[in-house]
């Protein structure tokens, strides 16, 4: 964020429910595992905003999808995803 001059705030999207490891789970199981485990800490600040989600590895996309859904439900206008790596799964 500092290098690109972009505001970085890792306290907006929070994981409020612990989940079991995604390793070895099917896409359907992964989606179920992460559904409803994220919350938005500052809901009033997101309407109309553009958000970049940064993830280390995207496997099935279940976690990214869960994050995107909660952000959309809070009025985020545009979501981009930056991942360091992706799998072939």
């Amino acid at each position: 964020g500092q290098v690109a001059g972009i505001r970085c705030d890792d306290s907006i999207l929070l994981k409020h429910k612990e989940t079991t490891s995604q390793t070895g789970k099917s896409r359907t199981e992964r989606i179920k595992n992460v559904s409803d485990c994220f919350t938005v800490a500052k809901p009033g600040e997101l309407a109309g905003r553009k958000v970049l989600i940064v993830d280390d590895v995207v496997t099935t996309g279940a976690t990214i999808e869960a994050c995107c859904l909660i952000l959309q439900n809070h009025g985020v206008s545009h979501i981009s995803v930056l991942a360091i790596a992706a799998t072939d799964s």
Side-chain angles (χ1 to χ4, degrees), residues 39-80:
T39 189
V40 171
K42 304 172 186 179
E45 295 182 18
L46 295 180
R49 303 280 262 186
K50 295 178 182 178
V51 173
L52 171 65
I53 299 173
V54 179
D55 197 1
D56 55 353
V57 179
V58 176
T59 306
T60 63
T63 303
I64 292 293
E65 186 175 339
C67 292
C68 288
L69 288 173
I70 191 76
L71 290 170
Q72 286 176 329
N73 289 340
H74 284 87
V76 170
S77 65
H78 183 88
I79 302 169
S80 297

Side-chain angles (χ1 to χ4, degrees), residues 2 4-5 7 18 23 26 28-29 31-32 34 42-44 60-61 64 70 72 77 83 86-87:
Q2 290 176 344
R7 179 179 167 227
E18 286 304 313
T23 306
S26 68
T28 303
E29 291 168 329
I31 290 169
K32 185 176 181 181
V34 295
K42 304 172 186 179
T60 63
I64 292 293
I70 191 76
Q72 286 176 329
S77 65
T87 64

